[in-house]
Amino acid sequence: MAHLESYDSFQTKKAREQKKRAKERSSSKEKNVNKGGKFVIKKGENYGTVIEVRYNDAYIFYEDRIVKAHLRKDINYPCNQVLFPGDKVIVEPDGEDFVINNMIARTSLLSRVKKDSTRLDSSVGATKNIAANINLAVIVVAAKNPPLHPKFIDRYLMVLQNSGIDSIICLNKADLKGENEEKTLDIYRNIGIPVIETSTVKKEGIEQLKEYLRGKQAIFVGNSGVGKSSLTNSLMESEEIKTSHVSEKSGKGRHTTTTSKYYVWDEKSSIIDTPGIRSLDISTFQPQEIQEYFQEFEAWSCKCKFSNCLHYKEPENLCMVKQGVKSGIISKDRYKSYIRILENVLNERTREMDDLDER
Ligand SMILES: Nc1nc2c(ncn2[C@@H]2O[C@H](COP(=O)(O)OP(=O)(O)O)[C@@H](O)[C@H]2O)c(=O)[nH]1
Ligand SMILES: [Mg+2]
Ligand SMILES: [Zn+2]
């Protein structure tokens, strides 16, 4: 676990602050439910882990088996608005089922933009919560097929960091890796993100991946076709994984995974295999905030002429970040990712202004 420890010590003060903010955000979402008797508690022993949520009930991994459970009677919300996969709950037998008496306060809540959300309902319910209490995200990318693009990695890194979740990069299909891919990976090694390389074809790197996953409530994220399900299968070949469970109703696609699968190894270790999460929610970011997630800019940006420099349309001679890119010390790809995300956020804000004007 040496890698993980060095990564933890790498966490900057800023990252810790981001985590704190993420925690506050997720706990503010719990408030509604907590109005009656205390449902959300700070700590608890002998908890079970939610692995699938339906409208009225949830499946809980509890004492080495999966039990079906419903919410305590006084909680007047559908189960799927209160609990998400990964939530830790206190249950007790209740007739044939179990009853969920409490939920332990979340450490993180990961969400994505809903596929069917339109601009009109963007204020309500436009995001879908994917999983709670995730403490490690494995960003899976492929060396080739699909090609390796830093822009996906950067978006994931930003959103995950903002949710208070540590990330590692897993380059799968390492058997297809060339020089260009090696250069791309170096960008991330240089900024302190752990990178592991796997090949499910050659059965390489699986043990190392396992080492990272042990003791974690982890999630595989990444575009479809990169090999997330193949990796899960490789992990499953080892006997440690006890349970697998399909959550969400299956969609129509025949050859791609359309459902999330929750694999539990033991009380403390699990992995969620997600279908590709296409649209991550970046709507909550302020333009000025985005650069915080490009930690290697910081040493330069503090010397930009304007303290609120966006390193965007400002003249090159007044922007040190642009100088850093020019000198080759800041990766051009990372800078491009930054600009792409910034433009997304700025466009979103322009559209909101237009909407206001029209009213
Ligand atoms: N060359 C190579 N192909 C792989 C590797 N892992 C997975 N694949 C192939 O990549 C394709 C997509 O894999 P899959 O696990 O379904 O990806 P997912 O959509 O991310 O779950 C399949 O055809 C796999 O056989 C690998 O390590 N090397
Ligand atoms: Mg899959
Ligand atoms: Zn600047």
Side-chain angles (χ1 to χ4, degrees):
M1 293 302 245
H3 309 275
L4 274 183
E5 273 153 28
S6 63
Y7 179 51
D8 284 343
S9 66
F10 199 91
Q11 295 262 323
T12 58
K13 195 171 151 226
K14 198 172 266 168
R16 279 197 297 275
E17 281 163 13
Q18 282 162 359
K19 272 194 183 175
K20 208 175 133 207
R21 262 185 273 154
K23 209 170 167 178
E24 281 163 9
R25 260 199 312 277
S26 66
S27 62
S28 74
K29 290 182 190 167
E30 291 160 7
K31 282 203 180 99
N32 289 339
V33 189
N34 234 352
K35 272 179 192 150
K38 233 185 175 358
F39 180 69
V40 182
I41 54 174
K42 277 201 178 125
K43 275 185 191 156
E45 306 256 308
N46 296 329
Y47 57 80
T49 305
V50 176
I51 59 173
E52 182 186 342
V53 189
R54 302 252 171 106
Y55 187 77
N56 274 326
D57 41 40
Y59 290 85
I60 319 282
F61 183 74
Y62 180 62
E63 292 183 339
D64 271 355
R65 65 207 161 109
I66 296 169
V67 301
K68 197 174 166 199
H70 50 267
L71 286 176
R72 205 170 83 187
K73 284 272 161 357
D74 63 313
I75 309 290
N76 283 320
Y77 286 93
C79 193
N80 62 1
Q81 281 184 28
V82 177
L83 296 174
F84 306 105
D87 267 328
K88 292 168 182 169
V89 290
I90 309 294
V91 295
E92 68 178 3
D94 180 30
E96 284 181 6
D97 286 352
F98 278 71
V99 58
I100 301 165
N101 285 323
N102 295 98
M103 178 187 102
I104 300 173
R106 293 179 184 123
T107 57
S108 70
L109 185 58
L110 186 62
S111 44
R112 66 163 167 80
V113 177
K114 253 188 184 168
K115 250 189 243 133
D116 48 0
S117 80
T118 60
R119 291 271 309 144
L120 286 175
D121 73 351
S122 66
S123 55
V124 242
T127 59
K128 181 177 175 356
N129 295 318
I130 304 167
N133 298 318
I134 296 293
N135 53 15
L136 181 75
V138 182
I139 304 172
V140 185
V141 290
K144 294 199 167 72
N145 313 327
L148 177 61
H149 279 308
K151 64 178 175 187
F152 294 118
I153 303 180
D154 295 330
R155 237 167 218 258
Y156 278 119
L157 280 177
M158 185 172 110
V159 171
L160 291 162
Q161 212 172 321
N162 181 257
S163 304
I165 300 170
D166 285 340
S167 322
I168 63 169
I169 295 170
C170 173
L171 177 98
N172 189 40
K173 310 198 190 183
D175 48 295
L176 305 177
K177 187 184 69 170
E179 249 175 58
N180 282 340
E181 287 78 28
E182 196 63 61
K183 272 188 204 145
T184 301
L185 295 181
D186 276 340
I187 300 174
Y188 299 97
R189 292 191 183 108
N190 287 339
I191 57 169
I193 312 287
V195 177
I196 54 173
E197 299 180 27
T198 54
S199 168
T200 63
V201 174
K202 293 195 167 173
K203 304 279 169 226
E204 282 167 3
I206 308 297
E207 285 304 314
Q208 203 193 351
L209 174 62
K210 262 202 311 209
E211 213 170 281
Y212 272 101
L213 298 177
R214 207 177 299 281
K216 297 281 178 183
Q217 195 151 308
I219 191 165
F220 278 148
V221 296
N223 294 348
S224 109
V226 294
K228 297 180 296 297
S229 299
S230 309
L231 281 170
T232 320
N233 287 338
S234 297
L235 291 166
M236 285 288 283
E237 282 168 16
S238 69
E239 285 158 29
E240 288 160 66
I241 295 186
K242 292 178 187 164
T243 320
S244 71
H245 199 83
V246 184
S247 64
E248 279 190 39
K249 281 265 148 52
S250 177
K252 283 148 213 133
R254 215 178 301 161
H255 296 295
T256 49
T257 322
T258 49
T259 54
S260 291
K261 274 189 184 178
Y262 202 119
Y263 298 89
V264 183
W265 309 26
D266 56 49
E267 297 293 334
K268 293 226 160 57
S269 323
S270 59
I271 179 97
I272 300 178
D273 176 20
T274 60
I277 302 172
R278 225 166 292 154
S279 28
L280 290 165
D281 184 18
I282 58 165
S283 64
T284 57
F285 290 94
Q286 300 294 321
Q288 202 61 48
E289 211 185 343
I290 298 162
Q291 55 185 292
E292 285 181 27
Y293 299 91
F294 290 76
Q295 54 263 49
E296 73 272 36
F297 290 9
E298 198 178 354
W300 301 80
S301 62
C302 60
K303 298 192 191 94
C304 289
K305 169 81 177 165
F306 308 110
S307 63
N308 59 351
C309 187
L310 284 177
H311 331 302
Y312 181 43
K313 300 221 161 133
E314 292 87 355
E316 198 178 274
N317 59 327
L318 304 180
C319 174
M320 287 309 286
V321 170
K322 287 188 184 183
Q323 299 288 333
V325 177
K326 210 174 164 190
S327 72
I329 298 178
I330 293 178
S331 143
K332 210 173 241 157
D333 282 329
R334 286 274 288 173
Y335 178 70
K336 274 197 226 158
S337 289
Y338 166 72
I339 293 298
R340 204 173 282 124
I341 295 169
L342 178 68
E343 283 181 340
N344 276 183
V345 170
L346 290 171
N347 287 341
E348 189 63 26
R349 281 162 69 96
T350 316
R351 266 193 288 169
E352 274 166 22
M353 300 287 191
D354 291 348
D355 288 354
L356 282 177
D357 286 346
E358 279 163 27
R359 269 179 217 158

